[in-house]
Amino acid sequence: MTTASYRRIVLKLSGEALSGEQGFGIEPNVIQSIASQVKEIAELGVEVAIVVGGGNIWRGKVGSEMGMDRANADYMGMLATIMNALAFQDSLENFGIPTRVQTSIEMRQVAEPYIRRKAIRHLEKKRVVIFAAGTGNPYFSTDTTAALRAAEIEADVILMAKNNVDGVYTADPKFNKDAKKYDELSYMEVLNEGLGVMDSTASSLCMDNNIPLLVFSVTQEGNIKRAVLGEKIGTVIRRK
Ligand code: UDP
């Protein structure tokens, strides 16, 4: 009998992770592969909360670089995460996993508003909860959302699923073949060395609230389960 190392997790899925090779839009095969991996861990009894990004559709920063008002551009980014959340909910439900989407910006016709206690109740009833629309505030990221929600629901860990890299490296492995993968890091090292794991707001929030983070590749089938079973994959970041 396999036992999970965690009771409750936050899985951070970037928009890029849902778009697969093409890097844009939503790729049904990729979503299905990730949903089937989520099914595996839900069947282990792990309580699963998911924070979805939106970078496969729109990033606020890009809009503001084109001359848009930053807050407006960020709201568009938050709306993009809702589209991803609905797509992922659909895929999870096709696998028979009861799933609820909660949004930080109210959109009652399509999803529940974010209510912390209700989210926890869903998790206790073994429903997967997808948190969409980020924090609901411009100038933040969905990585920060993952840190915030993980603290609020008292998750044991954040699993940060990447689609093109299997952990944190000394340099970008795509461009530098001498780049070495870290097995473990502290949040202070991530912040001091400016390692591109997550933005500094998200790293600080994780550090201050003592939330460990595992960065790993979701492209390899079964990796979410490996992560949940505590196998040594990816890079672990914690407060030291
Ligand atoms: N965003 C925001 N506030 C939040 C979360 C997200 O304004 O709390 C916006 C921001 O414009 C961001 C976009 O939503 O660029 C998509 O989120 P993110 O870039 O974090 O997605 P990911 O990189 O994970 O795909």
Side-chain angles (χ1 to χ4, degrees), residues 137-154:
N137 301 290
Y139 295 96
F140 286 94
S141 67
T142 53
D143 286 350
T144 301
T145 312
L148 177 64
R149 295 290 181 250
E152 287 182 277
I153 65 167
E154 296 176 4

Side-chain angles (χ1 to χ4, degrees), residues 67-89:
M68 271 187 83
D69 172 69
R70 173 69 193 260
N72 253 349
D74 276 343
Y75 280 117
M76 286 174 67
M78 287 183 261
L79 295 179
T81 70
I82 300 177
M83 291 173 65
N84 284 332
L86 294 182
F88 201 62
Q89 175 184 39

Side-chain angles (χ1 to χ4, degrees), residues 199-221:
D199 56 86
S200 57
T201 312
S203 296
S204 308
L205 203 52
C206 286
M207 181 171 72
D208 293 350
N209 293 290
N210 204 8
I211 306 164
L213 175 87
L214 177 71
V215 182
F216 70 105
S217 164
V218 75
T219 321
Q220 199 180 332
E221 290 270 346

